[in-house]
Amino acid sequence: MEILNQNRTIIGEGPVWNEKEQKLYYVNPYESEYRILDIYTKETKYIKTDIPVCAIAFSDKGDIIASQEDGVHILNSDGTRSPLYDKNKFDIKYCNDMKVGPDGKIYVGTQSEKRKTGSGNIDGKLYSIDNEGNVKVLLDNLILSNGLEWSLDEKFLYHTDSDTKTIKEYAFDKESGNIEFTGREIRLTAVDGFTVDKEGNLLVAAWGYGYLIIIDTKTLTVKGNIDVPAKIPASCGFAGSDMEKLITVTANFKDIAKEDKNAGYTFSHDHFAKGRKPFLFKTKEAK
């Protein structure tokens, strides 16, 4: 793997390609910043935020959509934020991983009170949000809603509650946005963020183990691993003009750099398959 950025992230998350800008975005929430990286020149911009951003997505108008502790917002160019829904009506907090689905809706998971405050409440959720501001709870009783991705035919959603170390498969109805557990799941050594390649494999960051796990979605079995030259891969995604580069972001969590020289670095790998372009949030104008 090629090193793209040696400015360490405490926990790098959510690499997502901006096709319009031809730039990679990813987040470093513990230092309240997100990064915009030119994967070819390696030039990086560091954008500070008042409230940490846990994941980024884009709309069909070019808006930056942020998953944050206090909800999901559009980050405006003047530094202000615009919520995607009525925050007086919907109290979405402790947001974590987020992506746009094939239906143009935002899908965002949350952390539980158990993780955030130490209480016994296991109340993390997976939500969908549409361009009318409608919010739907798809999954409940989660500890740490994390990686999510759709199959190539857009008929299945894969999702993890990282504390269970398990990825579950859900039938996905693109018209209604409803999901239903298929009964299929796979337990792994560790699960954080993940992506899908054009061969239909899930590529899963194995937190703390120094590799990405390759999962065949047809059989929901492990095909192998891709070594990462850092101990804590946190997430991965595809980037590039032809989605030809596999990007892996890693963590320097609890200053593990004392024993891992590459901790927190960002890497690029010319993988055996290309990736799929990220879906865009469908705004009202483009409905």
Side-chain angles (χ1 to χ4, degrees):
M1 289 193 178
E2 176 190 6
I3 297 172
L4 290 181
N5 188 294
Q6 291 179 292
N7 189 344
R8 304 183 196 275
T9 55
I10 295 178
I11 301 180
E13 289 284 5
V16 58
W17 182 244
N18 186 309
E19 184 179 14
K20 182 178 179 181
E21 297 178 7
Q22 292 288 293
K23 297 290 188 347
L24 178 79
Y25 282 63
Y26 62 105
V27 300
N28 182 25
Y30 276 76
E31 295 179 284
S32 298
E33 71 175 16
Y34 66 89
R35 300 180 177 188
I36 307 173
L37 171 63
D38 186 317
I39 62 172
Y40 300 109
T41 67
K42 301 182 182 180
E43 179 183 356
T44 306
K45 293 181 180 179
Y46 302 87
I47 312 297
K48 290 293 183 180
T49 58
D50 293 335
I51 298 175
V53 175
C54 292
I56 279 175
F58 305 106
S59 79
D60 49 23
K61 294 197 303 182
D63 300 312
I64 299 173
I65 301 170
S67 162
Q68 298 181 284
E69 283 263 315
D70 61 343
V72 181
H73 306 85
I74 292 174
L75 300 183
N76 301 311
S77 58
D78 62 1
T80 62
R81 303 183 304 159
S82 302
L84 283 189
Y85 52 89
D86 185 344
K87 295 184 71 174
N88 293 317
K89 185 176 179 181
F90 302 104
D91 183 22
I92 304 177
K93 59 182 179 180
Y94 308 142
C95 294
N96 195 44
D97 205 1
M98 173 186 72
K99 287 182 179 177
V100 179
D103 53 359
K105 297 176 185 175
I106 284 288
Y107 289 78
V108 60
T110 63
Q111 300 187 55
S112 62
E113 290 280 355
K114 179 178 180 179
R115 273 191 66 93
K116 294 299 292 184
T117 68
S119 75
N121 294 332
I122 300 176
D123 56 356
K125 295 175 177 62
L126 178 68
Y127 297 92
S128 66
I129 308 170
D130 69 13
N131 59 16
E132 299 285 347
N134 298 308
V135 175
K136 183 187 292 186
V137 177
L138 300 174
L139 297 173
D140 204 345
N141 304 312
L142 304 174
I143 301 173
L144 174 57
S145 181
N146 218 334
L148 67 160
E149 189 56 271
W150 286 262
S151 59
L152 292 184
D153 62 9
E154 303 177 0
K155 293 181 179 180
F156 298 97
L157 168 70
Y158 299 94
H159 174 267
T160 187
D161 178 345
S162 278
D163 271 38
T164 68
K165 301 181 181 179
T166 299
I167 294 175
K168 292 186 175 184
E169 180 187 73
Y170 298 86
F172 176 73
D173 186 324
K174 189 174 177 179
E175 294 303 314
S176 67
N178 293 332
I179 64 173
E180 183 177 354
F181 182 45
T182 65
R184 296 209 310 166
E185 61 184 43
I186 182 170
R187 184 174 171 84
L188 303 169
T189 51
V191 186
D192 203 325
F194 52 81
T195 190
V196 66
D197 68 20
K198 282 197 171 179
E199 293 183 355
N201 301 303
L202 293 180
L203 307 179
V204 182
W207 175 280
Y209 285 86
Y211 53 77
L212 306 179
I213 305 168
I214 308 170
I215 298 175
D216 185 339
T217 54
K218 295 183 180 66
T219 58
L220 218 58
T221 56
V222 175
K223 295 174 65 174
N225 299 327
I226 301 172
D227 289 335
V228 176
K231 186 175 181 179
I232 309 180
S235 190
C236 55
F238 284 92
S241 57
D242 199 27
M243 301 302 286
E244 76 279 9
K245 292 188 178 296
L246 174 63
I247 307 298
T248 302
V249 289
T250 68
N252 180 30
F253 191 60
K254 296 182 179 179
D255 201 21
I256 197 176
K258 292 176 181 177
E259 57 186 81
D260 177 5
K261 67 177 183 178
N262 293 332
Y265 288 3
T266 302
F267 299 93
S268 173
H269 178 52
D270 291 330
H271 185 43
F272 55 82
K274 296 176 183 179
R276 176 175 61 192
K277 294 177 182 178
F279 301 113
L280 302 176
F281 181 67
K282 188 182 296 183
T283 57
K284 289 183 182 181
E285 290 82 353
K287 190 175 179 181

